[in-house]
Amino acid sequence: MRKICLLLAIGCLAHALASAQLQQLKPGWNLFSMQQDVQLGQEAAAEVERRAAVVHNRDLDDYLNTILHKLEQSPYARTLASDGSRSGLFPFSVHVIYDKNVNAFALPGGPIFIHTALIEAAENEAQLAGVIGHEMSHVVLRHSTNQASKQNLVALPALLAEALVGNSMLGQLAKIGIGLGANSVLLKFSRTDETEADYNGAEIVAGAGYNPLELANFFEKLEAKSGRQNELMQFLSDHPNPGNRVAAVSEEVRYMPRRGYVEDETGKFQHVQDLVQHLSTPGEARATSSDEEHKPSPPGARPSRQLIGYRGKSFSLAYPENWQVHGDTRANTVTIAARDGIVQSANGQPQIGYGLQVSYYSPPKSGAELNRDTQALVRQLKQSNAGMRTGRDPRGIQVGDQPALLTTLYATSPYRGEQEVDALVTVARPEGLFYAIFIAPQSEFEQVQEIFEDVLRSVRFF
Ligand SMILES: [Zn+2]
């Protein structure tokens, strides 16, 4: 009898110690419902399918779904309520994007995308599974919509109410400058988010028999390489290093039940890496002729030479009086477009075809440097717009009495039979890299160039 009590006591003590060391994860404050996370993620995934070179390969998809299915068995893959309880599963999916930049990202509510270069960079299946488990954890902990909620607490409730009555969620968020573009708040996490995603992700992969240390090893390996390789910048800026990832996961492993781990559970990792290395570039011409037929014509009315003032949080400018402002004067982001300048693309997502977008970009490296930061932004824009290319070399100009760069880019226009010209103007500011993109179909660009120059001359910073 005594012996049993003693054993029980030791058991309880061990349990109490372990619980003291286990993090109590809680989802952050959020204006979105879980259902809205799912809706937003599905709309955004459709947008990614349209804009990025998503690979449709049976072997590859089967392989990733096998890993995903293993990871979904973990209780840590389940939704997390504010009282810490877990229930259902978000509708997870994994897809591959053909891209030479090492990257992976999760959209709210479940869709996960992995670049081919990341699969090539992984050393074993456990590292790849680690990335998937980490991304699943951002979804479970709802980091995207938590970040969006914190940054837009004034404007969001009304926009979400609009989305409730059947409007596109992505369309609503576009009004306050939240999209999938450069440095989107939806894809950019804090160091605390990272620590939580590592923690929860380590539990998910360990439950499936993968060594959770490989998750941390992979992140640290990328971090060590990042000084030399621009291709890594976006991943590491979206998933900032919380420091000591390996140490943190090692500590966590001490409190996990002992398990034997294998590096390659399916035995197919080598085959899949081979397959990825030999994928041919998915069609450059993704737009088929039938897509082309469904595109609208460019707006009839030219922008007016009569300009009116717009005052944002840290800058002001003047824009053509027949254009419309989409955005919030308290924000640092605004879209000003011609009537019919925002086009619903084939999948119902809004795209600016004729107008002006102004925002700030947070460069991956600190210490403002106009040339370097502009290059980082251009890389980002190209990543989110398949087929975008640079025209002339960047040119030095002045905007609001500050040195600025003018970079000309070309892309596919949402208007029928049109190429698009994107004149990108960047200025290094304390808030980040200020940028204005003038977007117009090429056939119109010559005619509106003077108006764009008038708008640029009107820019003031404060
Ligand atoms: Zn992350």
Side-chain angles (χ1 to χ4, degrees), residues 134-135 138 189 194 197 219 238-239 245:
H134 175 97
E135 297 294 345
H138 282 310
F189 303 116
E194 285 308 298
F219 273 92
D238 289 348
H239 301 272
R245 297 189 113 122

mmCIF file with all atom_site columns, all heavy atoms in Angstrom, residues 134-135 138 189 194 197 219 238-239 245, ligand 1:
data_model
loop_
_atom_site.group_PDB
_atom_site.id
_atom_site.type_symbol
_atom_site.label_atom_id
_atom_site.label_alt_id
_atom_site.label_comp_id
_atom_site.label_asym_id
_atom_site.label_entity_id
_atom_site.label_seq_id
_atom_site.pdbx_PDB_ins_code
_atom_site.Cartn_x
_atom_site.Cartn_y
_atom_site.Cartn_z
_atom_site.occupancy
_atom_site.B_iso_or_equiv
_atom_site.pdbx_formal_charge
_atom_site.auth_seq_id
_atom_site.auth_comp_id
_atom_site.auth_asym_id
_atom_site.auth_atom_id
_atom_site.pdbx_PDB_model_num
ATOM   1  N  N   . HIS A 1 134 ? 4.848  23.069 -39.295 1.00 0.00 ? 134 HIS A N   1
ATOM   2  C  CA  . HIS A 1 134 ? 5.003  24.462 -38.864 1.00 0.00 ? 134 HIS A CA  1
ATOM   3  C  C   . HIS A 1 134 ? 3.915  25.336 -39.526 1.00 0.00 ? 134 HIS A C   1
ATOM   4  O  O   . HIS A 1 134 ? 3.252  26.133 -38.858 1.00 0.00 ? 134 HIS A O   1
ATOM   5  C  CB  . HIS A 1 134 ? 6.415  24.934 -39.248 1.00 0.00 ? 134 HIS A CB  1
ATOM   6  C  CG  . HIS A 1 134 ? 6.696  26.377 -38.973 1.00 0.00 ? 134 HIS A CG  1
ATOM   7  N  ND1 . HIS A 1 134 ? 7.352  26.796 -37.835 1.00 0.00 ? 134 HIS A ND1 1
ATOM   8  C  CD2 . HIS A 1 134 ? 6.431  27.498 -39.678 1.00 0.00 ? 134 HIS A CD2 1
ATOM   9  C  CE1 . HIS A 1 134 ? 7.466  28.113 -37.860 1.00 0.00 ? 134 HIS A CE1 1
ATOM   10 N  NE2 . HIS A 1 134 ? 6.925  28.574 -38.970 1.00 0.00 ? 134 HIS A NE2 1
ATOM   11 N  N   . GLU A 1 135 ? 3.713  25.144 -40.831 1.00 0.00 ? 135 GLU A N   1
ATOM   12 C  CA  . GLU A 1 135 ? 2.699  25.936 -41.542 1.00 0.00 ? 135 GLU A CA  1
ATOM   13 C  C   . GLU A 1 135 ? 1.291  25.581 -41.036 1.00 0.00 ? 135 GLU A C   1
ATOM   14 O  O   . GLU A 1 135 ? 0.446  26.458 -40.867 1.00 0.00 ? 135 GLU A O   1
ATOM   15 C  CB  . GLU A 1 135 ? 2.781  25.710 -43.060 1.00 0.00 ? 135 GLU A CB  1
ATOM   16 C  CG  . GLU A 1 135 ? 4.099  26.144 -43.705 1.00 0.00 ? 135 GLU A CG  1
ATOM   17 C  CD  . GLU A 1 135 ? 4.351  27.660 -43.646 1.00 0.00 ? 135 GLU A CD  1
ATOM   18 O  OE1 . GLU A 1 135 ? 3.402  28.418 -43.372 1.00 0.00 ? 135 GLU A OE1 1
ATOM   19 O  OE2 . GLU A 1 135 ? 5.508  28.071 -43.844 1.00 0.00 ? 135 GLU A OE2 1
ATOM   20 N  N   . HIS A 1 138 ? 0.583  27.578 -37.977 1.00 0.00 ? 138 HIS A N   1
ATOM   21 C  CA  . HIS A 1 138 ? 0.146  28.965 -38.200 1.00 0.00 ? 138 HIS A CA  1
ATOM   22 C  C   . HIS A 1 138 ? -1.371 28.994 -38.457 1.00 0.00 ? 138 HIS A C   1
ATOM   23 O  O   . HIS A 1 138 ? -2.063 29.911 -38.041 1.00 0.00 ? 138 HIS A O   1
ATOM   24 C  CB  . HIS A 1 138 ? 0.875  29.577 -39.402 1.00 0.00 ? 138 HIS A CB  1
ATOM   25 C  CG  . HIS A 1 138 ? 2.291  30.025 -39.118 1.00 0.00 ? 138 HIS A CG  1
ATOM   26 N  ND1 . HIS A 1 138 ? 2.611  30.829 -38.043 1.00 0.00 ? 138 HIS A ND1 1
ATOM   27 C  CD2 . HIS A 1 138 ? 3.456  29.803 -39.786 1.00 0.00 ? 138 HIS A CD2 1
ATOM   28 C  CE1 . HIS A 1 138 ? 3.929  31.077 -38.066 1.00 0.00 ? 138 HIS A CE1 1
ATOM   29 N  NE2 . HIS A 1 138 ? 4.462  30.464 -39.101 1.00 0.00 ? 138 HIS A NE2 1
ATOM   30 N  N   . PHE A 1 189 ? 4.599  36.865 -40.175 1.00 0.00 ? 189 PHE A N   1
ATOM   31 C  CA  . PHE A 1 189 ? 4.358  36.518 -38.778 1.00 0.00 ? 189 PHE A CA  1
ATOM   32 C  C   . PHE A 1 189 ? 5.354  37.189 -37.844 1.00 0.00 ? 189 PHE A C   1
ATOM   33 O  O   . PHE A 1 189 ? 6.416  37.645 -38.262 1.00 0.00 ? 189 PHE A O   1
ATOM   34 C  CB  . PHE A 1 189 ? 4.416  34.997 -38.622 1.00 0.00 ? 189 PHE A CB  1
ATOM   35 C  CG  . PHE A 1 189 ? 3.445  34.292 -39.520 1.00 0.00 ? 189 PHE A CG  1
ATOM   36 C  CD1 . PHE A 1 189 ? 3.882  33.448 -40.525 1.00 0.00 ? 189 PHE A CD1 1
ATOM   37 C  CD2 . PHE A 1 189 ? 2.083  34.515 -39.391 1.00 0.00 ? 189 PHE A CD2 1
ATOM   38 C  CE1 . PHE A 1 189 ? 2.976  32.814 -41.369 1.00 0.00 ? 189 PHE A CE1 1
ATOM   39 C  CE2 . PHE A 1 189 ? 1.175  33.896 -40.225 1.00 0.00 ? 189 PHE A CE2 1
ATOM   40 C  CZ  . PHE A 1 189 ? 1.624  33.046 -41.222 1.00 0.00 ? 189 PHE A CZ  1
ATOM   41 N  N   . GLU A 1 194 ? 6.243  32.660 -34.508 1.00 0.00 ? 194 GLU A N   1
ATOM   42 C  CA  . GLU A 1 194 ? 7.192  31.638 -34.946 1.00 0.00 ? 194 GLU A CA  1
ATOM   43 C  C   . GLU A 1 194 ? 7.492  30.635 -33.831 1.00 0.00 ? 194 GLU A C   1
ATOM   44 O  O   . GLU A 1 194 ? 7.532  29.422 -34.056 1.00 0.00 ? 194 GLU A O   1
ATOM   45 C  CB  . GLU A 1 194 ? 8.503  32.289 -35.407 1.00 0.00 ? 194 GLU A CB  1
ATOM   46 C  CG  . GLU A 1 194 ? 8.392  32.955 -36.752 1.00 0.00 ? 194 GLU A CG  1
ATOM   47 C  CD  . GLU A 1 194 ? 7.818  32.025 -37.797 1.00 0.00 ? 194 GLU A CD  1
ATOM   48 O  OE1 . GLU A 1 194 ? 8.438  30.997 -38.088 1.00 0.00 ? 194 GLU A OE1 1
ATOM   49 O  OE2 . GLU A 1 194 ? 6.729  32.322 -38.307 1.00 0.00 ? 194 GLU A OE2 1
ATOM   50 N  N   . ALA A 1 197 ? 4.533  28.432 -33.539 1.00 0.00 ? 197 ALA A N   1
ATOM   51 C  CA  . ALA A 1 197 ? 4.375  27.499 -34.668 1.00 0.00 ? 197 ALA A CA  1
ATOM   52 C  C   . ALA A 1 197 ? 5.429  26.392 -34.594 1.00 0.00 ? 197 ALA A C   1
ATOM   53 O  O   . ALA A 1 197 ? 5.157  25.240 -34.944 1.00 0.00 ? 197 ALA A O   1
ATOM   54 C  CB  . ALA A 1 197 ? 4.454  28.234 -36.002 1.00 0.00 ? 197 ALA A CB  1
ATOM   55 N  N   . PHE A 1 219 ? 15.173 25.124 -40.434 1.00 0.00 ? 219 PHE A N   1
ATOM   56 C  CA  . PHE A 1 219 ? 15.094 26.581 -40.330 1.00 0.00 ? 219 PHE A CA  1
ATOM   57 C  C   . PHE A 1 219 ? 16.475 27.181 -40.071 1.00 0.00 ? 219 PHE A C   1
ATOM   58 O  O   . PHE A 1 219 ? 16.841 28.190 -40.652 1.00 0.00 ? 219 PHE A O   1
ATOM   59 C  CB  . PHE A 1 219 ? 14.136 27.001 -39.215 1.00 0.00 ? 219 PHE A CB  1
ATOM   60 C  CG  . PHE A 1 219 ? 12.710 27.112 -39.656 1.00 0.00 ? 219 PHE A CG  1
ATOM   61 C  CD1 . PHE A 1 219 ? 11.838 26.045 -39.549 1.00 0.00 ? 219 PHE A CD1 1
ATOM   62 C  CD2 . PHE A 1 219 ? 12.227 28.296 -40.180 1.00 0.00 ? 219 PHE A CD2 1
ATOM   63 C  CE1 . PHE A 1 219 ? 10.513 26.148 -39.959 1.00 0.00 ? 219 PHE A CE1 1
ATOM   64 C  CE2 . PHE A 1 219 ? 10.915 28.421 -40.594 1.00 0.00 ? 219 PHE A CE2 1
ATOM   65 C  CZ  . PHE A 1 219 ? 10.051 27.341 -40.481 1.00 0.00 ? 219 PHE A CZ  1
ATOM   66 N  N   . ASP A 1 238 ? 9.138  36.398 -43.792 1.00 0.00 ? 238 ASP A N   1
ATOM   67 C  CA  . ASP A 1 238 ? 7.775  36.034 -43.373 1.00 0.00 ? 238 ASP A CA  1
ATOM   68 C  C   . ASP A 1 238 ? 7.791  35.211 -42.080 1.00 0.00 ? 238 ASP A C   1
ATOM   69 O  O   . ASP A 1 238 ? 6.855  35.264 -41.294 1.00 0.00 ? 238 ASP A O   1
ATOM   70 C  CB  . ASP A 1 238 ? 7.079  35.201 -44.465 1.00 0.00 ? 238 ASP A CB  1
ATOM   71 C  CG  . ASP A 1 238 ? 6.730  36.044 -45.689 1.00 0.00 ? 238 ASP A CG  1
ATOM   72 O  OD1 . ASP A 1 238 ? 6.820  37.274 -45.588 1.00 0.00 ? 238 ASP A OD1 1
ATOM   73 O  OD2 . ASP A 1 238 ? 6.374  35.460 -46.720 1.00 0.00 ? 238 ASP A OD2 1
ATOM   74 N  N   . HIS A 1 239 ? 8.841  34.385 -41.930 1.00 0.00 ? 239 HIS A N   1
ATOM   75 C  CA  . HIS A 1 239 ? 8.961  33.546 -40.725 1.00 0.00 ? 239 HIS A CA  1
ATOM   76 C  C   . HIS A 1 239 ? 10.224 33.985 -39.978 1.00 0.00 ? 239 HIS A C   1
ATOM   77 O  O   . HIS A 1 239 ? 11.259 33.322 -40.050 1.00 0.00 ? 239 HIS A O   1
ATOM   78 C  CB  . HIS A 1 239 ? 9.096  32.064 -41.100 1.00 0.00 ? 239 HIS A CB  1
ATOM   79 C  CG  . HIS A 1 239 ? 7.944  31.529 -41.902 1.00 0.00 ? 239 HIS A CG  1
ATOM   80 N  ND1 . HIS A 1 239 ? 6.816  31.003 -41.332 1.00 0.00 ? 239 HIS A ND1 1
ATOM   81 C  CD2 . HIS A 1 239 ? 7.739  31.458 -43.232 1.00 0.00 ? 239 HIS A CD2 1
ATOM   82 C  CE1 . HIS A 1 239 ? 5.972  30.617 -42.284 1.00 0.00 ? 239 HIS A CE1 1
ATOM   83 N  NE2 . HIS A 1 239 ? 6.520  30.894 -43.447 1.00 0.00 ? 239 HIS A NE2 1
ATOM   84 N  N   . ARG A 1 245 ? 16.156 28.164 -32.189 1.00 0.00 ? 245 ARG A N   1
ATOM   85 C  CA  . ARG A 1 245 ? 15.073 27.226 -32.516 1.00 0.00 ? 245 ARG A CA  1
ATOM   86 C  C   . ARG A 1 245 ? 15.423 25.814 -32.070 1.00 0.00 ? 245 ARG A C   1
ATOM   87 O  O   . ARG A 1 245 ? 14.581 25.103 -31.524 1.00 0.00 ? 245 ARG A O   1
ATOM   88 C  CB  . ARG A 1 245 ? 14.829 27.216 -34.025 1.00 0.00 ? 245 ARG A CB  1
ATOM   89 C  CG  . ARG A 1 245 ? 14.361 28.528 -34.562 1.00 0.00 ? 245 ARG A CG  1
ATOM   90 C  CD  . ARG A 1 245 ? 13.922 28.375 -36.008 1.00 0.00 ? 245 ARG A CD  1
ATOM   91 N  NE  . ARG A 1 245 ? 12.497 28.578 -36.124 1.00 0.00 ? 245 ARG A NE  1
ATOM   92 C  CZ  . ARG A 1 245 ? 11.948 29.521 -36.911 1.00 0.00 ? 245 ARG A CZ  1
ATOM   93 N  NH1 . ARG A 1 245 ? 12.698 30.306 -37.643 1.00 0.00 ? 245 ARG A NH1 1
ATOM   94 N  NH2 . ARG A 1 245 ? 10.650 29.675 -36.970 1.00 0.00 ? 245 ARG A NH2 1
HETATM 95 ZN ZN  . ZN  B 2 .   ? 6.434  30.504 -39.500 1.00 0.00 ? 1   ZN  B ZN  1
#
